[in-house]
Amino acid sequence: MRNPLWRRIPKELKEELGKYIVIFLFMVITTGMVSGFMVAGESMKKTYDNTFDKYNVEDGHFDLSDEASDNMKDNIEDEGVKLYDMSYYELPMSKIGSDSDGNSGNVEGNAETKDDTVNSVNDAADDGGRTLRIFAPRHDVNKMCLMDGEFPVGTDEIAIDRMYAVNNDIEIGDDIKAGDKVYSVCGFVALSDYSTMFQNNNDTMFDATIFGIAVVSNEEFDDLPEKNKTWSYSWMYDDGMPDEENDEKKLADDLLETVYTQAVMNGITVESYIPRYQNQAINFAGDDIGSDTNMMKWFEYIVIVILAFIFAVTISNTLTKEASVIGTLRASGYTKGELLIHYISLPVIVTFVASVVGNVLGYSVFKDMGAQLYYGSYSLTKYVTYWNADAFVLTTVIPLIIMIVVNLLVVNSKLKLSPLRFLRHDLSRSKRKKAVKLPHWKFMTRFKTRVILQNIPGYVVMLLGIYFAQVLLMFGLMLNPMLKHYQNDILDNMVADHQYVLDSQVETANNNAETYCMKTLRTTGDIDDEIMVYGIHSDSKYFPVKLDDGDVLVSDSYADKYEIVDGDKLELKESYTDDTYELKVTGSVVYPAALAVFVTEGDFREIFDKDEDYFTGYFSNDKLTDIEDHVVSEITKDDMIKVSRQLTKSMGGMFYIVVVFSLVMFMLLVYLLTKLIVEKNTVSISMVKILGYDTKEISKLYLSSTTVMVAVVTLLDILLSYLSIKVIYRAMLIDMLSGWMPIYMAPWIFPLMFVLSFTCYLVISLLQMKRIKKIPMDEALKNVE
C-alpha cells in the first residue's frame, strides 16, 4: 500500500515555497560555483601538466653575454643534454595611436600627492614603459600555441601574448611599435615556457601588463638589431627529466659547473642559469592552479552545514507545530522510521535537485567563469574540459550525506519521545524548568527579553551563519584597500627613486649617487624564499636608519612573515652552492617592498669575502645616464608595486563577487531564521491580535527583539571575523606568495560592514512584517488544548 504521507510533501513544499526557493537557489549557486571552479581548476591543471610533453617544455636554460661557439655547445652537450637556441630581443613597446614614443607614463616631479603618485605609476604601466620579449618561431622545444588569429609570416607582422594583449587593450589588426619598427598584430599566442609573465626569475611577482612575449617570423627575427639580443640556450636531458627533484637538482648542478667552465674558457659571462624546477615563468602557474580547490571545498561544506542546521531548526519547529498530528500518527501505528523518512525527505530532495542543477551549471556557466579567472592571471595554452568525478562527489554525494546526517540527528532525537508526549505538546527532553525571573522592567522590555530567551537556539545558529557571511564580506572589502595601502607604503619607503644593478663596477659623474652592495640568498627552512642582503653606507643619505658595524637589520616584511624578533639568528644559503651564512638580528627597518637584510658595506664585504672597493649598484634620486651600458636592471617606482598591481588586475573583479555573495548569504540566513522565529510564535502573535494589538505593535514586540540580537550578533561576528581573517590570511599567503604583503584593514571597513549588514536586515524585517500581518486571529483558537 502506498504511504499516504508522501502526499503531504507537495503540500508542505507549497506552504513553504518561498523558503525552499531561496534555499534551492542559494544551494544551486554555491554548488555551481564550487563545481565549476573545481572542474576548471582540474582541467587547467591537467592541461598545464600535459603541456610539458605536448609542447616539449625545456628542462632548463641559461643566458650568455655572447653567442656560444659550436665547440662550446658540443662540450656542454657531452654532459648528456641537447641544446636549443632560444635567443630573444627585448624591446620597448607602445600602441600606435595612444603613445607612440612610449614615454607618456613617466613619473616626474616631487609635487605629487601620495595617491597621485600611485595613480601615475599605474598609468605608466598602462600607457608606457612596456616591454616585449621577441622570439623566433619555435618548432622543437617550448612550442607555441596559437590562441587566436595567425602566426606571423611577413616582416611586418607580430603575434603577441594573449594576456598581454588583453591587459593593454590590443586587438588583432592593431599596429604596435616595438623598438623602432611598427608591426601589425596578426595573432595571439601562448608560449609553453611563459605561462607566467616573469621578466626576471628573481622578481617577487610577475606583471603581464608591462611585460609580455611575442613571436615574429624567422626572416624578421634575423633582421633585428643585435645590440638588443640576449643569447639564451634551452636544454633537454638525453635520458629525460628525472622523477625525483633531488636527482634533477644534482643533474642541474653538474651541468652548471660545465656551463660556467666552458663560459670562462670562451671569455663569456653566464648571465643566468635556471633549471626548470627554479623557473618561475614555468612553475608559478602550475603551483597555483588548483591550489584554491581545497578552499572551495571547505567553503561548500561550511555552507551546506549551515543550511543543514537551518533545515534542522525548520524541521524541529515543524515537529513542534505538528506535535498533535505526529502523536496521532504514532498512536495509529506509524513507526518512528516512517515519520523519520517523511520529515527528512523534503530537505534531501531539495539538496539533491539543487546539487544536480548546480553541477549542470558548474560544467557550463561557472566552469567558464573559473577558467577566465585563470586566463586572467596566466598565459595558458588552450585547455580541454575533463570530467571531474571528485567534483561530482564533493558537490552532490557529500552534501547529501551532510544533510541526511544532520537532519537525522535532530529529527530522531525528537521522535524518541512517546506518542502521548506529542499529543500533550510536551517535547522538552529535560525536566520542565521555571521561567527565568526577570527584574521589574517595563512590560515591553520584559516581553522582548522573553522572546529572546525563547529563541536562543535560533540566535546561536544565526551567530554561526552570520559569522561565516561576515568573514567573506570582510575578505572581499579588505583586499582592494589593502593593495592600495601596500602600494602607498612601498612608495613612501623606497630607498631611492632609482636603484641600479650593474654588471661591473663603473663610476658615475653624478655626485648624488651612492654605491651599495647586494646579494641574493635563500632561506633554509620549510619555506623557500629569496632574501636580498644589502650592504649600505653607514652614513647613507638614502637609507632611513643609521647603520653601525655589527648591525643586522631585517625589513619589517621579513620580520612579519617569519615572526623574527631582535636576537634571532638567521640561516641563509647560496642558491647554487652549499655555502650558508648565519646572521644575528639586531633590529628591523620599515621596508615593505621585499624580504631583505641590511648591514654596513664593510660588514657585507667581510661576510661575503669581497674587496674593499666592491659594490654592485647605485642608489640615486636622479636618472643616471652615464652608466646605461652597464645596467643589468633598474628598479623604479613602477617595478616596486608589481605585486599589488598584478593582483588588482587579475583578481579585482573577484573581490566584488565575494562581497555580493556574502551579502546574499547574510540576507538568506537572516530571512530564514527570522521567519522561523515568527512561525514559532504564531500562536502567541495570534493571541495578542485577539487582545487588540495591531501589526505595528506586534512587530515591535517580536521583530525588535530580533533586531537587537542581529545588531549584537553582527558586532560580535565582525570582531570574530577580524580575528579569523588574520589567521586565515597568514595561512594562505605564507606559502602562496614569494615575499610578503602585511594585512591591512581600512578603518572604514568595520562600520561599512555593520551598515551593509543592518541594511540587509531591515529589508528582511519588512518582509517579516507582511508575514505577521497575514497571521489570522483564529490560529490561537485552533491550538487550544
Side-chain angles (χ1 to χ4, degrees), residues 511-568:
N511 295 326
N512 291 321
E514 181 178 288
T515 61
Y516 71 90
C517 305
M518 184 183 71
K519 188 175 183 65
T520 302
L521 300 178
R522 307 194 75 86
T523 54
T524 57
D526 295 333
I527 306 171
D528 185 18
D529 270 325
E530 284 190 344
I531 307 298
M532 311 300 293
V533 181
Y534 285 92
I536 308 290
H537 283 203
S538 57
D539 56 348
S540 173
K541 56 188 173 185
Y542 291 104
F543 196 64
V545 177
K546 186 180 185 308
L547 283 169
D548 295 322
D549 290 338
D551 283 346
V552 177
L553 303 184
V554 295
S555 61
D556 57 342
S557 55
Y558 188 11
D560 187 21
K561 181 171 185 177
Y562 285 85
E563 299 179 324
I564 298 170
V565 296
D566 294 359
D568 284 354

Side-chain angles (χ1 to χ4, degrees), residues 584-604:
K584 186 176 181 180
V585 177
T586 61
S588 64
V589 63
V590 178
Y591 187 72
L595 306 182
V597 176
F598 301 93
V599 296
T600 63
E601 272 190 319
D603 285 346
F604 182 97

Side-chain angles (χ1 to χ4, degrees), residues 86-127:
M86 289 288 148
S87 300
Y88 58 84
Y89 295 88
E90 202 155 294
L91 301 173
M93 190 285 291
S94 60
K95 184 178 177 182
I96 300 300
S98 62
D99 181 14
S100 60
D101 61 5
N103 293 321
S104 67
N106 287 344
V107 181
E108 297 180 355
N110 297 319
E112 294 174 322
T113 64
K114 182 166 59 176
D115 288 340
D116 289 338
T117 302
V118 174
N119 292 332
S120 297
V121 173
N122 288 331
D123 291 342
D126 291 338
D127 298 326

Side-chain angles (χ1 to χ4, degrees), residues 78-204:
D78 288 341
E79 294 298 314
V81 298
K82 173 69 175 174
L83 294 183
Y84 300 86
D85 189 347
M86 289 288 148
S87 300
Y88 58 84
Y89 295 88
E90 202 155 294
L91 301 173
M93 190 285 291
S94 60
K95 184 178 177 182
I96 300 300
S98 62
D99 181 14
S100 60
D101 61 5
N103 293 321
S104 67
N106 287 344
V107 181
E108 297 180 355
N110 297 319
E112 294 174 322
T113 64
K114 182 166 59 176
D115 288 340
D116 289 338
T117 302
V118 174
N119 292 332
S120 297
V121 173
N122 288 331
D123 291 342
D126 291 338
D127 298 326
R130 294 166 293 186
T131 302
L132 271 181
R133 184 170 290 176
I134 301 175
F135 292 89
R138 291 115 160 265
H139 302 293
D140 298 318
V141 171
N142 300 331
K143 297 177 184 178
M144 309 170 291
C145 175
L146 184 65
M147 305 298 290
D148 196 9
E150 299 176 349
F151 285 120
V153 291
T155 57
D156 59 348
E157 291 183 337
I158 191 170
I160 64 175
D161 175 70
R162 173 200 56 81
M163 190 170 67
Y164 182 77
V166 170
N167 290 345
N168 290 285
D169 298 321
I170 299 173
E171 298 180 358
I172 293 177
D174 286 350
D175 290 333
I176 64 172
K177 185 178 181 182
D180 297 325
K181 186 169 182 178
V182 175
Y183 296 92
S184 175
V185 177
C186 62
F188 297 150
V189 296
L191 299 189
S192 52
D193 58 329
Y194 278 92
S195 56
T196 316
M197 290 294 113
F198 278 96
Q199 186 171 9
N200 298 303
N201 196 57
N202 58 356
D203 286 346
T204 302

Side-chain angles (χ1 to χ4, degrees), residues 578-715:
D578 295 329
D579 294 341
T580 59
Y581 305 91
E582 190 174 273
L583 304 171
K584 186 176 181 180
V585 177
T586 61
S588 64
V589 63
V590 178
Y591 187 72
L595 306 182
V597 176
F598 301 93
V599 296
T600 63
E601 272 190 319
D603 285 346
F604 182 97
R605 291 161 182 156
E606 182 178 345
I607 293 170
F608 298 109
D609 193 24
K610 301 295 182 182
D611 296 334
E612 290 185 3
D613 59 348
Y614 174 84
F615 66 91
T616 56
Y618 287 102
F619 292 129
S620 176
N621 286 333
D622 304 321
K623 189 171 183 63
L624 305 181
T625 58
D626 56 348
I627 60 170
E628 289 181 342
D629 292 340
H630 299 276
V631 173
V632 174
S633 64
E634 178 186 357
I635 302 171
T636 62
K637 294 177 180 178
D638 185 57
D639 300 298
M640 295 294 252
I641 60 172
K642 278 184 179 180
V643 175
S644 56
R645 187 172 60 234
Q646 179 60 35
L647 289 175
T648 302
K649 191 83 174 180
S650 61
M651 297 182 64
M654 191 65 181
F655 302 160
Y656 300 109
I657 295 175
V658 172
V659 170
V660 173
F661 186 85
S662 61
L663 289 175
V664 171
M665 183 177 188
F666 178 91
M667 294 182 73
L668 167 70
L669 291 166
V670 172
Y671 169 78
L672 292 175
L673 293 169
T674 53
K675 179 177 179 293
L676 290 177
I677 291 170
V678 171
E679 288 177 348
K680 187 175 181 180
N681 293 278
T682 298
V683 175
S684 300
I685 292 172
S686 178
M687 182 66 72
V688 294
K689 280 190 174 184
I690 294 174
L691 296 175
Y693 287 83
D694 59 25
T695 302
K696 187 176 181 180
E697 291 171 322
I698 296 171
S699 297
K700 286 183 178 180
L701 286 172
Y702 289 93
L703 288 183
S704 61
S705 303
T706 302
T707 301
V708 172
M709 290 306 298
V710 168
V712 172
V713 164
T714 301
L715 288 172

Side-chain angles (χ1 to χ4, degrees), residues 4 24 30 44 66 76 122 143 147 166 226 234 293 370 418 448 516 522 607 611 638 740:
F24 174 80
T30 303
M44 285 288 189
D66 203 349
I76 294 175
N122 288 331
K143 297 177 184 178
M147 305 298 290
V166 170
E226 192 165 305
S234 297
T293 301
S418 65
K448 293 174 184 177
Y516 71 90
R522 307 194 75 86
I607 293 170
D611 296 334
D638 185 57
W740 190 244

Side-chain angles (χ1 to χ4, degrees), residues 240-273:
M241 177 70 76
D243 294 331
E244 297 294 329
E245 186 172 319
N246 288 336
D247 295 335
E248 181 186 353
K249 289 180 178 178
K250 186 177 185 306
L251 281 177
D253 291 343
D254 292 342
L255 182 63
L256 170 64
E257 185 177 344
T258 301
V259 170
Y260 267 98
T261 301
Q262 289 298 316
V264 171
M265 291 174 61
N266 286 268
I268 298 175
T269 302
V270 178
E271 296 183 341
S272 68
Y273 179 88

